[in-house]
């Protein structure tokens, strides 16, 4: 398997966590839904930050990530952490991420290209943590319509 594929089938559906998400707008809405269903979203609760932990059922090689979101309340950057131990908001803010990706408003559109990651650092991933520190318009809530993780097993 040398081409990039959506790794959602490798995500352990019972082993994910998203801190600061609204109860009715949780992570599965962005990970597992039909990508054309724009009513189901992941939405932050008390402020713009989100801390997303995704566990895979096997080691995967991540090559790219695609975030789909409204251009105003979508993330302006994401910090990716590979196989971290326990990580809370304070640690995600202070620790050096495996990679930080800036997201321009055009990067959040449905037809935008996925953002590639440094392959050497994402070659044996069992857990991926995505930290969203802020959104584009400094809105109170961050909204994510879709998260697509691309790579191979």
């Amino acid at each position: 398997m040398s081409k990039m594929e959506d790794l959602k089938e490798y995500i352990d559906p019972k082993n994910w966590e998203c801190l600061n998400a609204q109860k009715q707008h949780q992570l599965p809405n962005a990970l597992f839904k039909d990508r054309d269903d724009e009513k189901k979203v992941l939405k932050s609760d008390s402020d713009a930050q989100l801390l997303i932990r995704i566990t895979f059922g096997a080691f995967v090689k991540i090559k790219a990530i695609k975030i789909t979101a409204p251009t105003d309340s979508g993330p302006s950057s994401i910090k990716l952490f590979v196989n971290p131990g326990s990580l809370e908001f304070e640690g995600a803010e202070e620790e050096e991420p495996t990679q930080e990706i800036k997201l321009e408003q055009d990067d959040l559109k449905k037809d935008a290209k996925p953002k590639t990651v440094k392959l050497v650092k994402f070659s044996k991933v069992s857990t991926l943590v995505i930290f969203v520190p802020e959104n584009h318009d400094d809105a109170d809530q961050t909204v994510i319509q879709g998260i697509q993780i691309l790579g191979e097993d």
Side-chain angles (χ1 to χ4, degrees), residues 77-94:
S77 69
I78 54 174
K79 292 183 178 183
L80 304 175
F81 297 87
V82 171
N83 303 332
S86 127
L87 190 65
E88 299 293 328
F89 281 105
E90 187 176 320
E93 288 178 302
E94 295 173 3

Side-chain angles (χ1 to χ4, degrees), residues 24-65:
Q24 67 274 29
H25 297 289
Q26 286 286 329
L27 181 60
N29 289 349
L31 277 179
F32 301 116
K33 68 166 184 160
D34 174 1
R35 297 209 192 282
D36 292 327
D37 185 353
E38 293 183 8
K39 290 183 180 82
K40 287 188 175 180
V41 297
L42 168 60
K43 188 183 287 188
S44 65
D45 191 15
S46 61
D47 61 26
Q49 294 186 335
L50 288 164
L51 189 64
I52 301 163
R53 176 181 297 274
I54 299 167
T55 303
F56 297 93
F59 284 108
V60 295
K61 182 185 292 185
I62 297 174
K63 296 182 175 182
I65 189 164

Side-chain angles (χ1 to χ4, degrees), residues 4-9 11 27 29-33 35 42 52 54 56 62-69 78 80 101 103 107 109-117 128 130 144-151:
M4 266 197 309
E5 66 173 318
D6 189 337
L7 296 176
K8 99 172 140 181
E9 71 180 78
I11 296 172
L27 181 60
N29 289 349
L31 277 179
F32 301 116
K33 68 166 184 160
R35 297 209 192 282
L42 168 60
I52 301 163
I54 299 167
F56 297 93
I62 297 174
K63 296 182 175 182
I65 189 164
K66 169 96 175 85
I67 304 286
T68 309
I78 54 174
L80 304 175
I101 298 175
L103 295 169
D107 295 329
K109 294 179 179 174
K110 247 193 207 175
D111 57 355
K113 288 185 177 178
K115 300 296 256 180
T116 57
V117 298
L128 178 68
I130 303 169
I144 297 176
Q145 295 162 324
I147 300 172
Q148 187 177 26
I149 301 167
L150 302 162

Side-chain angles (χ1 to χ4, degrees), residues 120-131:
V120 70
K121 294 186 175 190
F122 290 83
S123 63
K124 198 170 184 183
V125 180
S126 63
T127 302
L128 178 68
V129 171
I130 303 169
F131 174 54

